[in-house]
Every structure is written in C-alpha cells, then in structure tokens.
Amino acid sequence: MLLSPPLCPPDEQDAALAELGFSVLGAAGAAELLGEPVAALARWLPFWDDLPPDAYLKDGGRYRRRRHGCFIVDGESVRLQPHRPHWQPVEYNALHGGIERHFEPLPEALVADPLWARWLMMGAARASALKGVQPWYVEAHMFRIDTTDGIGRPTPEGAHRDGVDLVSVTLIAREGIKGAETRVFAAEGREGLRFTLSEPFSTLWLDDAKVIHESTPIQPLQPSGSGHRDTLVLTYRAGGFQGPGT
C-alpha cells in the first residue's frame, strides 16, 4: 500500500517549508496557484517520451533518461540561458559529482509553453519566501526512470542534498511500477518521513539546507512487465549556477 504524502494547502506551503524544511503541494493546489486546471498540464506528458539515455551512470545502468536546461527567474521574468553542462561538487554527489555532464536541451515547445514560465515562477516564489526576494538560477531536469534493467534507481547517489537553496520534485507519471518511495530526513537530527508521490503534478518542495532526500528503487509490477516513473526536478540557487570553482 502506498503511503500518501502530507499535502499542504497552497497558502500554507511557505510556512511548512520554513518550519519543517519541506512541503507537498497536490495537483489541485498547483492548479490553484497556476490559475489553470490540471488537465491543461497534460499536454506536457508526450515530452517525457523523447528523453535521451543518461550516458553518465557509473553503476553501468540503462534505466535513466533525461534532458536539462537552465533559466534565470527574476520576479515575473523567466529567461532561458545558453545551454551548459550540469555540474555538482563531490561533497553533494559522491557518485557523479566533480564532472561536467552534458545532456540534451529541453524541448523548445515545452519551454515556449506559457505554463512553463509560470511553473518556474511558482517555485521562485517559494524560494524567495524562504531565502529572500532575489533572482534565482534554476536548473530544470526532465527524468524518466524505467525498469529496463529490472530495477531503476531514481537516486543512485543515495540520500543527498543538492547544494542549492530549494529543490522541487514533481511527479509527471507513474506507470506499471512499485517502489519509488520518497524519504525526507532532517540534515541534522533523526527526524524523517516517508511517502509516495502518486498523483501526477503533485510536487515536493525541499529546503536543501535543512533536509536530505532520496527515492527508493523501482521494479515492474508484473515480473514480465515493464514500467517507468517520470519526474520534473527543479533546483533554485542564489548567486549563480553551480560549476567548477563555484
């Protein structure tokens, strides 16, 4: 049985983030903040069917596909930045940190969708409420984790922080799988919570300074079947993008 996430109303997201270090927004809440029905977001789903393989998995797996893009969000201004590699320090990603990873860019049609900019601004508003109003350097990651290898690992690096100010994890689709339980732990202390995002466009917000997080591996529901989990992960960082020397 899947453990339901502790959903917060839209007007309580910032208070929960400040107090607990995380909050969960349901699809209806996202629609309320966007001013659009959730059904409007369904036009994004086909973009996850065209993700190239991740060639950097050090465990030799073939279970992850992804795309990547960078933006600066400043109030109501959302500016796509020149395509750049993704980089994390080894202190935050011991498995894949310290190297420049080059991924294919986000689909142009997705970036041009007016709801895309509003989605990024929704996260920037959470980051500004948490850390103060300022421009936010946003990295967007489209992921598909599948069961090609029999098992897929949403977070092969294990429980981790990302070295940013705010992280959002949005479930896009979950098809024919078991697993993918989300686990959130206090960065200092023993407090923790586990639940499973199962509703498309439900979103977990994380104060990266306060909590660490991971998702458990996935397996197909049927022994001879296949399945996948699609997510959109956004990271918000003050002052600039991560890169060597930053």
Side-chain angles (χ1 to χ4, degrees):
M1 184 176 68
L2 301 181
L3 295 175
S4 300
L7 300 181
C8 286
D11 60 356
E12 296 179 15
Q13 293 291 312
D14 296 336
L17 263 173
E19 179 182 355
L20 304 173
F22 74 93
S23 64
V24 186
L25 181 71
E32 182 178 332
L33 290 177
L34 289 172
E36 294 280 353
V38 175
L41 296 170
R43 62 179 180 255
W44 290 3
L45 297 180
F47 294 124
W48 269 259
D49 293 328
D50 185 30
L51 301 183
D54 184 339
Y56 294 92
L57 288 172
K58 288 189 175 181
D59 63 4
R62 300 170 298 159
Y63 54 81
R64 185 159 75 181
R65 295 174 173 270
R66 67 192 297 180
R67 289 182 182 271
H68 171 246
C70 294
F71 301 80
I72 296 177
V73 181
D74 188 1
E76 295 187 355
S77 170
V78 178
R79 304 191 304 276
L80 175 66
Q81 300 302 293
H83 199 55
R84 56 184 287 127
H86 176 51
W87 186 90
Q88 292 176 292
V90 293
E91 291 83 1
Y92 291 103
N93 191 331
L95 187 61
H96 298 115
I99 60 172
E100 293 188 342
R101 289 181 282 167
H102 296 262
F103 301 110
E104 292 298 313
L106 304 180
E108 292 182 5
L110 175 62
V111 174
D113 189 322
L115 281 179
W116 175 257
R118 285 155 66 181
W119 192 275
L120 267 61
M121 286 189 288
M122 182 171 65
R126 307 285 75 74
S128 288
L130 193 64
K131 306 289 185 176
V133 177
Q134 58 195 294
W136 292 103
Y137 293 77
V138 183
E139 293 196 50
H141 305 266
M142 300 170 66
F143 287 108
R144 170 167 287 182
I145 307 298
D146 63 33
T147 58
T148 296
D149 296 329
I151 188 170
R153 295 177 174 84
T155 53
E157 65 272 39
H160 66 283
R161 292 163 56 202
D162 288 291
V164 296
D165 290 285
L166 182 76
V167 178
S168 75
V169 181
T170 300
L171 180 72
I172 302 298
R174 180 187 171 97
E175 301 289 345
I177 62 166
K178 57 186 177 180
E181 181 179 85
T182 296
R183 297 176 178 178
V184 181
F185 308 94
E188 298 183 5
R190 297 184 177 182
E191 298 85 359
L193 190 68
R194 59 190 183 93
F195 53 85
T196 303
L197 294 175
S198 59
E199 181 186 34
F201 299 104
S202 56
T203 297
L204 168 66
W205 309 100
L206 299 159
D207 179 347
D208 196 58
K210 279 191 174 182
V211 297
I212 59 177
H213 64 281
E214 66 176 340
S215 293
T216 61
I218 66 170
Q219 293 178 284
L221 277 175
Q222 303 300 327
S224 60
S226 62
H228 63 264
R229 178 179 185 254
D230 295 343
T231 56
L232 171 64
V233 176
L234 303 175
T235 63
Y236 293 78
R237 188 171 188 263
F241 295 110
Q242 286 183 320
T246 62

